[in-house]
Amino acid sequence: MKQALTKQAKLDQIRADILDLNICEGLRQNATQLVFGDGSADSEIVFIGEAPGKSEDEQGLPFVGAAGKFLNEMLASIGLERSEVYITNIVKYRPPANRDPLPEEKAAFLPYLRQQIMVIQPKLIVTLGRHSLETLIPGLRISECHGRPKRVKIPVGRQGASTMQGAGEQRTELYKNVTAKEQTQPATPQRAANDGGVGGSADEQAIMSLVILPLFHPAAALYNGSMRQTLINDFAKIPKVLEQINNPKPAISKSKESKYVASNR
Ligand code: URA
């Protein structure tokens, strides 16, 4: 009988695909190594930053420089260790001189990010900074929505993984806010995951419902007093957001419901 791969084995396979398919060759040539992700593949929370910097490029791990130290401190402040969550970036090679990642670089890595999400099946994604937010929910401004969780349905899985290099125009279709109509449709998060591979067959596409909490980027907030405090305050909401996801309140409580029914008889 074919043995199911562990989540970590599936992540390793995605990492190998990025290397084998030479995704984002231009960035790769200037970088020391791929910075794929770090932490627990079984985590309920995934943190997504922008792109590796100098320290990350040297060590092959995300968020290990000054911004990473700050991130670790904030994690500790809510009782979490880095090893208990999963951390990755939109772009997985360091852009030269830490310049902003280009739209085509973000688009090239997006299918692989989608596969990572599909494998991990987090309940909460915390976006760190505007690049991460804009890639996951195009059109939202971080200055307006930081600290406010949003439930979204996102396509995840494998579709287009090996063909999307440079397909920047597909970016805006990949993640969208949930409309009232979509909320009534069931999500199918398990479909590709159950297929035994990384994310199902090559054209497999699944829709996953999860919550995204947009936060400022720790590097931007590090030396900016008011943004730093805002980030710390927003970060402190994570346990409550998770609690609400895990124990959703019914729209109408049982007691209120029975009163409502009684008064409408
Ligand atoms: N900034 C990021 O966005 N990612 C890292 O991994 C480090 C710094």
Side-chain angles (χ1 to χ4, degrees):
M1 204 177 72
K2 200 173 144 195
Q3 269 217 315
L5 291 176
T6 63
K7 286 187 175 186
Q8 188 54 55
K10 290 180 186 179
L11 291 178
D12 292 344
Q13 211 169 300
I14 299 166
R15 185 181 192 283
D17 282 350
I18 294 175
L19 293 169
D20 291 349
L21 295 165
N22 210 6
I23 300 305
C24 230
E25 190 178 359
L27 282 187
R28 186 182 189 180
Q29 280 169 353
N30 288 297
T32 307
Q33 58 190 315
L34 181 71
V35 179
F36 181 69
D38 187 32
S40 167
D42 296 306
S43 175
E44 290 186 322
I45 317 177
V46 170
F47 289 83
I48 304 177
E50 173 184 325
K54 188 168 184 292
S55 307
E56 291 76 22
D57 178 64
E58 283 165 3
Q59 295 183 44
L61 293 168
F63 283 96
V64 288
K69 189 165 171 278
F70 185 28
L71 178 61
N72 292 348
E73 286 166 13
M74 288 188 289
L75 283 170
S77 76
I78 57 168
L80 283 174
E81 290 197 15
R82 194 187 154 96
S83 58
E84 295 176 278
V85 300
Y86 191 82
I87 305 173
T88 188
N89 285 304
I90 299 285
V91 165
K92 298 182 190 328
Y93 290 114
R94 181 193 184 196
N98 292 349
R99 67 155 166 73
D100 280 358
L102 303 174
E104 59 267 32
E105 292 163 352
K106 292 187 264 187
F109 282 108
L110 189 48
Y112 301 94
L113 179 68
R114 290 165 59 192
Q115 290 180 48
Q116 283 176 293
I117 295 168
M118 184 71 215
V119 166
I120 298 170
Q121 302 262 323
K123 292 184 174 158
L124 174 65
I125 288 182
V126 179
T127 56
L128 299 171
R130 76 182 164 86
H131 287 281
S132 176
L133 174 64
E134 281 170 6
T135 305
L136 297 194
I137 317 180
L140 285 192
R141 287 171 164 271
I142 187 145
S143 55
E144 288 163 10
C145 68
H146 65 86
R148 303 215 315 251
K150 303 196 177 318
R151 179 162 286 281
V152 294
K153 284 190 180 172
I154 60 173
V156 287
R158 249 196 126 170
Q159 192 189 47
S162 57
T163 57
M164 253 195 78
Q165 296 165 56
E169 71 281 0
Q170 292 194 33
R171 193 166 48 118
T172 53
E173 293 170 16
L174 295 173
Y175 293 88
K176 55 188 175 183
N177 283 305
V178 190
T179 63
K181 183 163 165 262
E182 285 169 325
Q183 296 220 22
T184 63
Q185 294 166 356
T188 55
Q190 294 299 337
R191 221 176 61 201
N194 287 344
D195 205 20
V198 166
S201 66
D203 289 327
E204 186 75 65
Q205 174 106 6
I207 304 292
M208 216 177 126
S209 170
L210 47 73
V211 174
I212 292 185
L213 178 67
L215 297 188
F216 285 126
H217 195 290
L222 202 50
Y223 305 110
N224 174 328
S226 69
M227 199 192 281
R228 184 185 167 96
Q229 193 53 51
T230 303
L231 174 56
I232 291 170
N233 295 346
D234 287 347
F235 208 95
K237 296 176 185 169
I238 291 174
K240 193 150 184 216
V241 172
L242 256 189
E243 160 74 20
Q244 280 168 356
I245 295 169
N246 285 326
N247 300 299
K249 287 206 185 86
I252 303 175
S253 72
K254 277 278 168 243
S255 58
K256 277 195 188 136
E257 189 180 28
S258 49
K259 271 187 212 148
Y260 178 82
V261 171
S263 66
N264 279 281
R265 274 204 183 119

